[in-house]
Amino acid sequence: MSRKEEWKKAGKDIGHAFANLGKAIGTTAKVVTGEDNHQGEGRKTKTGEAWTNVGHGFADAGKQFGKATATTFTGDSTEQKVVDSQDGEGNSTKK
């Protein structure tokens, strides 16, 4: 992917993450004010799912931002270089 495409995707991912944040806040507000009488606990509730989406959205945005930044400063994607330097446990294989 070109540098421009990497940054474009990063911008979209960040926008989606903030959209998910707004939806989660709205969903939580409805539950708190009693407008939504959804019963349940944990991830299976509307609020649980909404906040899970927020976490995943910001994680994806962070990963894409890192890729775009790497492309900007190195001229190519360093993602494979990082993967190659890690063993299966996330530990560096370089000594």
Side-chain angles (χ1 to χ4, degrees):
M1 233 185 255
S2 72
R3 184 177 305 157
K4 181 179 178 180
E5 291 169 338
E6 292 283 355
W7 279 107
K8 185 175 180 179
K9 184 162 178 7
K12 285 182 179 181
D13 285 353
I14 291 169
H16 289 142
F18 278 101
N20 286 340
L21 177 63
K23 289 175 186 176
I25 291 171
T27 300
T28 302
K30 285 181 183 178
V31 170
V32 168
T33 59
E35 291 179 35
D36 187 355
N37 294 328
H38 183 72
Q39 300 295 321
E41 294 185 18
R43 290 182 66 180
K44 302 224 185 250
T45 65
K46 285 183 180 180
T47 55
E49 288 180 25
W51 286 103
T52 298
N53 290 338
V54 170
H56 289 293
F58 276 103
D60 293 343
K63 289 176 192 174
Q64 185 58 40
F65 182 79
K67 287 180 188 178
T69 303
T71 302
T72 299
F73 291 114
T74 63
D76 64 345
S77 177
T78 59
E79 178 183 1
Q80 189 59 44
K81 293 176 191 173
V82 172
V83 170
D84 290 343
S85 71
Q86 303 291 316
D87 65 15
E89 303 293 317
N91 300 317
S92 178
T93 56
K94 295 181 181 177
K95 305 232 179 193

